[in-house]
Amino acid sequence: MDLVRGKQNGAARGARIGDVAREAGVSTATVSRALAHPAQVSKELRERVGAAVAKLGYTPNAAARQLRVKRSRTVLVVTRRRWSAPFFAEVLRGLDAELSAAGYAMVLANFDGDGGNRSRQLVDMMFSGTIEGAVMLSGIVVAAEGRTMLDAGLPLVSLCAAAEGTHTVLTNEAECIVEGARRLAALGHTDFLYLAGPPSNYNERVRWAALSAFFAEPRQAGLRLRRAESGDFSTDGGLLTAQAFLGLSPRPTAVIASADEIAIGFMKAVRAAGIGVPSDVSVLGFDGIEFADFCEPVLSTIRQPREALGRLGARVLIEAIEAPSLPPLSHHVLPSRLDFRASTGPAPAGAAAPRPQAAPAPKRKSARARVPAPAEGR
Amino acid sequence: MDLVRGKQNGAARGARIGDVAREAGVSTATVSRALAHPAQVSKELRERVGAAVAKLGYTPNAAARQLRVKRSRTVLVVTRRRWSAPFFAEVLRGLDAELSAAGYAMVLANFDGDGGNRSRQLVDMMFSGTIEGAVMLSGIVVAAEGRTMLDAGLPLVSLCAAAEGTHTVLTNEAECIVEGARRLAALGHTDFLYLAGPPSNYNERVRWAALSAFFAEPRQAGLRLRRAESGDFSTDGGLLTAQAFLGLSPRPTAVIASADEIAIGFMKAVRAAGIGVPSDVSVLGFDGIEFADFCEPVLSTIRQPREALGRLGARVLIEAIEAPSLPPLSHHVLPSRLDFRASTGPAPAGAAAPRPQAAPAPKRKSARARVPAPAEGR
DNA sequence: TCAACTGATGTAATCGATTACAAATACGAT
DNA sequence: ATCGTATTTGTAATCGATTACATCAGTTGA
């Protein structure tokens, strides 16, 4: 095999289809056909072409082909810094697995709402023909100069978030968090604290909306729900909420975090302050990251099917790309799983007595169920 | 702005350069120049073109441009499943930040040595002109059908690994792990256990080689080093090594893990068996992942500059791509930082007595310093 | 033997930009 | 007025593949 090693940068490298044609003694059309539609070419020529290709180490130029056939077999994946790393890595792996199996390449781009430059890059990419579709792990439809990613008319999939005009792949997070609260209530807890993530985040909104709606039900009148802000899906955010918790009186006995990281940070800080988990306060996280198994105590959590989310997102996108005509937007929901472990237990004896119904109804702060608008994603 | 919304999939979308030229009443050459080299075009025409571009929502077709100018401004990043997720996510972020700032797009592909198909995809990518260079987080130079990624003659950067013929960006991991051992020895420890990652991994080899070479020094004759296999850079692997540890007698008092995940799994398992950390055994991890701060006890570790690794890797690659002539291969080393915290302490009183130098020299198992061959990366 | 048909191959148009080169224009100096 | 130079613009070639269409050879049936 005669490989032309790059001499000068950018110098002519590799063979072109004409070289292969000459070598095999056929026309370029035959070479192209032998490679793309072998059945249309006689066995003999097919072999001659194959030999020439091998000899010259020929690989078709992707740009030229793309220009002609209008397909790049490339999709864009837009991520967001705020994703928790373990969550992110596995979703990405699912996406990659499914995309590469179908022969698609994946362009990865982080988008943190920066000052306009990145936005333009992304929007241009949608319009420049490099991309056949996009998966957004950010929940944001990026816009620049009056155009949005949607305007390019390419299929878009929002993963773990909802956005107008896109296919969506979500989890049943709302039901899960309510189920978590229900289970805690069944353990005798009546005084709850929600550790909120960034309020602009889609998942944060969904979770808070579901939880506060649940506590607003008349049947749950004996339960109280408060809220502490972490500002962030991070362990540091969790430390913050612990400060808030320690300042409360009476102290809630059940804590539901909007992310495992927050819960882990919270647990560490309150235990350092002499509060027992779960003896004094039960803690429930969200996501099911690996380290939920290794903190003290082992964290109860709501496990999201991370790799499956990635895989399904990829499949939905591929289907939309390859559908002969514009398909309707699809919406999928994958189930998460509640996993109660060491960080949750019965309400402590002192506080366990169900709050007397007759007492002046505790003001449920912010119990109105805000319906989350399509907004920032997770 | 008249945006042509994708009608049928694949139907003509958007304006071409000819449309803009007609709209502005100029030639396509002028449009192209107004966009790429504004200085070459008179102010008036520049503005007319700008207006036409805005009106039609024109974005140049990337494939056509690429075909002509032979630049895709796209690089490939090859990852590997075995990377720890938090590590991976931050390195990726550094890469993305630097690449996108320089106007490069990033194609991400996972490579786990699969059965030939993925290899061909990757090698073809190098030869098809889609890619101007690659960063390999895998330490493997992928090969398929007699060609390797190197043969394309494009610049390649190995991150956290070394591979023949590529630029490399490494950390001083060898020195750090030796320094860690030295510090532990200074705390009175004489009996060490190394928790190994996957033996085929480049970093694993470097670390083990450095550590075993250190223990082989005559001056360290009073120290003993054993080795347990985790098989993996994972918490599960850490659990495995804990089994091995519990079976040893006498039990080592100092443990050095080749990854934080392993250390965390190890600590959890030995503590469950009633062993105190650091009262009975000190544990040192490697990487400095976020959760090292949140396990019990807080893990001593060797912090790697993750985002900086990604940024430097990107810069090295960009430089190599944009260098007018083939530059020599560069090799960079970034410093990691030893961070001793709660999981390490003085050797326990019983075992603290320095092993008598005179006693029959303890057999140092596997103390020969294997020089790591370029192999699988981290 | 010829027409009709099938299948394999080649010729040349095409995708949409960039840019070498030519042409046109403006400007200044003599 | 004329020439030379600098600046701006247009014409057309070019990048490297794919594929519509034309051509040609071979087969079959009458």
Side-chain angles (χ1 to χ4, degrees):
Chain A
M1 204 190 303
D2 305 338
L3 295 175
V4 180
R5 298 290 293 269
K7 317 156 190 205
Q8 293 289 71
N9 262 5
R13 66 164 46 88
R16 285 169 261 319
I17 196 171
D19 303 329
V20 177
R22 203 170 315 116
E23 175 74 30
V26 299
S27 72
T28 62
T30 301
V31 175
S32 178
R33 276 191 287 253
L35 264 37
H37 315 284
Q40 292 179 21
V41 171
S42 70
K43 183 148 168 284
E44 200 218 317
L45 289 198
R46 210 186 311 147
E47 278 162 6
R48 290 229 306 269
V49 169
V53 165
K55 175 163 181 212
L56 300 176
Y58 169 71
T59 305
N61 181 294
R65 155 184 263 142
Q66 209 183 118
L67 175 59
R68 188 61 229 247
V69 302
K70 303 250 184 309
R71 295 218 45 192
S72 62
R73 290 200 152 262
T74 302
V75 305
L76 174 66
V77 174
V78 183
T79 65
R80 182 123 216 265
R81 159 165 277 140
R82 208 174 269 163
W83 276 58
S84 84
F87 196 99
F88 165 77
E90 278 197 55
V91 171
L92 215 56
R93 188 165 296 153
L95 282 166
D96 177 84
E98 212 66 43
L99 287 172
S100 74
Y104 285 82
M106 171 169 105
V107 171
L108 190 72
N110 198 63
F111 180 76
D112 288 310
D114 80 341
N117 203 23
R118 194 72 209 255
S119 314
R120 185 160 57 238
Q121 280 180 10
L122 293 179
V123 173
D124 277 354
M125 215 178 239
M126 302 294 297
F127 282 90
S128 72
T130 3
I131 286 300
E132 295 193 48
V135 176
M136 304 186 308
L137 309 189
S138 76
I140 303 178
V141 175
V142 180
E145 300 174 346
R147 302 190 301 188
T148 75
M149 291 181 66
L150 268 167
D151 296 328
L154 300 176
L156 254 49
V157 176
S158 305
L159 216 56
C160 303
E164 202 65 38
T166 69
H167 303 262
T168 56
V169 175
L170 305 170
T171 67
N172 59 344
E173 51 190 343
E175 285 129 61
C176 285
I177 204 165
V178 167
E179 181 59 23
R182 218 186 289 270
R183 289 271 296 268
L184 285 165
L187 285 166
H189 294 277
T190 57
D191 196 358
F192 288 75
L193 179 65
Y194 174 70
L195 310 185
S200 61
N201 179 282
Y202 174 83
N203 303 268
E204 163 57 32
R205 286 167 172 232
V206 168
R207 293 167 192 182
W208 169 249
L211 203 58
S212 53
F214 170 71
F215 280 84
E217 290 175 9
R219 308 171 46 189
Q220 261 63 55
L223 305 182
R224 178 181 192 190
L225 174 64
R226 285 175 282 182
R227 176 182 161 119
E229 304 294 332
S230 77
D232 216 347
F233 289 124
S234 74
T235 45
D236 284 346
L239 299 179
L240 269 183
T241 59
Q243 299 314 314
F245 169 84
L246 293 172
L248 294 179
S249 115
R251 295 220 180 101
T253 66
V255 162
I256 300 177
S258 58
D260 284 348
E261 279 96 336
I262 297 176
I264 289 171
F266 175 88
M267 287 203 301
K268 173 167 169 138
V270 298
R271 293 179 79 223
I275 309 279
V277 178
S279 57
D280 294 320
V281 59
S282 286
V283 176
L284 175 62
F286 210 119
D287 277 356
I289 66 176
E290 182 182 9
F291 288 94
D293 301 0
F294 291 89
C295 52
E296 276 278 324
V298 171
L299 182 63
S300 296
T301 188
I302 294 164
R303 298 191 177 281
Q304 303 213 57
R306 293 174 299 222
E307 185 164 339
L309 279 166
R311 285 185 178 271
L312 182 55
R315 270 200 301 268
V316 167
L317 182 60
I318 292 170
E319 213 167 288
I321 289 174
E322 296 180 351
S325 62
L326 223 45
L329 294 179
S330 63
H331 302 280
H332 296 262
V333 175
L334 287 178
S336 295
R337 221 182 70 242
L338 197 55
D339 192 1
F340 265 53
R341 302 188 293 181
S343 72
T344 42
R355 187 168 289 273
Q357 297 278 80
K363 280 215 185 76
R364 267 170 273 98
K365 198 176 142 199
S366 322
R368 64 225 135 93
R370 279 190 279 154
V371 174
E376 272 193 65
R378 167 58 187 277
Chain B
M1 204 190 304
D2 303 339
L3 296 175
V4 179
R5 298 291 292 270
K7 316 155 192 206
Q8 292 290 72
N9 261 6
R13 63 164 48 85
R16 285 168 261 317
I17 196 171
D19 302 330
V20 177
R22 203 170 315 118
E23 175 74 31
V26 299
S27 73
T28 61
T30 301
V31 175
S32 178
R33 278 192 285 254
L35 263 36
H37 317 284
Q40 292 179 20
V41 170
S42 69
K43 182 147 168 286
E44 200 218 318
L45 289 198
R46 210 186 312 146
E47 278 163 4
R48 288 229 306 268
V49 169
V53 165
K55 175 163 180 214
L56 300 177
Y58 169 71
T59 304
N61 180 295
R65 155 184 262 141
Q66 210 183 115
L67 175 59
R68 188 61 229 250
V69 303
K70 303 252 185 309
R71 296 218 44 194
S72 62
R73 289 203 153 261
T74 302
V75 306
L76 175 66
V77 175
V78 182
T79 65
R80 182 123 216 267
R81 158 166 277 143
R82 210 174 268 164
W83 276 57
S84 85
F87 196 100
F88 165 77
E90 278 197 56
V91 171
L92 215 57
R93 188 165 295 152
L95 281 166
D96 176 85
E98 212 65 41
L99 287 171
S100 74
Y104 284 83
M106 171 170 105
V107 170
L108 190 73
N110 199 63
F111 180 75
D112 288 311
D114 80 343
N117 204 22
R118 193 73 209 255
S119 314
R120 185 160 56 239
Q121 280 180 10
L122 293 179
V123 173
D124 277 353
M125 217 177 236
M126 302 294 296
F127 281 89
S128 71
T130 3
I131 286 300
E132 296 193 47
V135 176
M136 303 186 308
L137 310 189
S138 75
I140 304 178
V141 175
V142 180
E145 299 174 347
R147 302 190 302 187
T148 75
M149 291 181 67
L150 269 167
D151 296 327
L154 301 176
L156 253 49
V157 176
S158 304
L159 215 59
C160 303
E164 202 64 40
T166 69
H167 303 262
T168 55
V169 175
L170 305 170
T171 66
N172 59 344
E173 50 189 344
E175 285 129 62
C176 284
I177 203 164
V178 167
E179 181 59 24
R182 218 185 290 269
R183 288 270 296 268
L184 284 165
L187 285 167
H189 294 277
T190 58
D191 196 358
F192 288 74
L193 179 66
Y194 174 69
L195 310 185
S200 61
N201 178 282
Y202 174 83
N203 303 269
E204 165 56 32
R205 286 167 171 235
V206 169
R207 292 169 193 180
W208 169 249
L211 204 58
S212 51
F214 170 72
F215 279 83
E217 291 174 10
R219 307 171 47 189
Q220 260 62 56
L223 305 182
R224 177 181 194 191
L225 173 64
R226 284 175 281 183
R227 176 182 160 117
E229 304 295 333
S230 78
D232 216 348
F233 290 124
S234 74
T235 45
D236 285 345
L239 300 179
L240 270 182
T241 59
Q243 300 313 315
F245 169 84
L246 294 172
L248 295 178
S249 116
R251 295 222 180 100
T253 65
V255 161
I256 300 178
S258 57
D260 284 348
E261 279 97 336
I262 297 177
I264 289 171
F266 175 87
M267 288 204 302
K268 174 166 167 139
V270 298
R271 294 179 80 223
I275 310 278
V277 178
S279 56
D280 295 318
V281 60
S282 286
V283 177
L284 175 62
F286 210 120
D287 276 356
I289 65 176
E290 182 183 10
F291 287 94
D293 302 359
F294 291 89
C295 51
E296 275 279 322
V298 171
L299 182 65
S300 296
T301 188
I302 294 164
R303 297 190 179 281
Q304 304 212 57
R306 292 175 298 223
E307 185 164 339
L309 279 166
R311 285 185 179 271
L312 182 55
R315 271 199 301 267
V316 168
L317 182 62
I318 293 170
E319 215 166 287
I321 289 173
E322 295 180 351
S325 62
L326 222 46
L329 294 179
S330 62
H331 301 279
H332 295 262
V333 175
L334 288 178
S336 294
R337 222 182 70 240
L338 197 55
D339 192 2
F340 265 53
R341 303 189 292 182
S343 71
T344 42
R355 185 169 291 273
Q357 298 276 83
K363 280 215 185 76
R364 266 170 274 98
K365 198 177 142 199
S366 317
R368 66 224 135 93
R370 277 190 282 153
V371 174
E376 271 192 66
R378 167 58 186 276

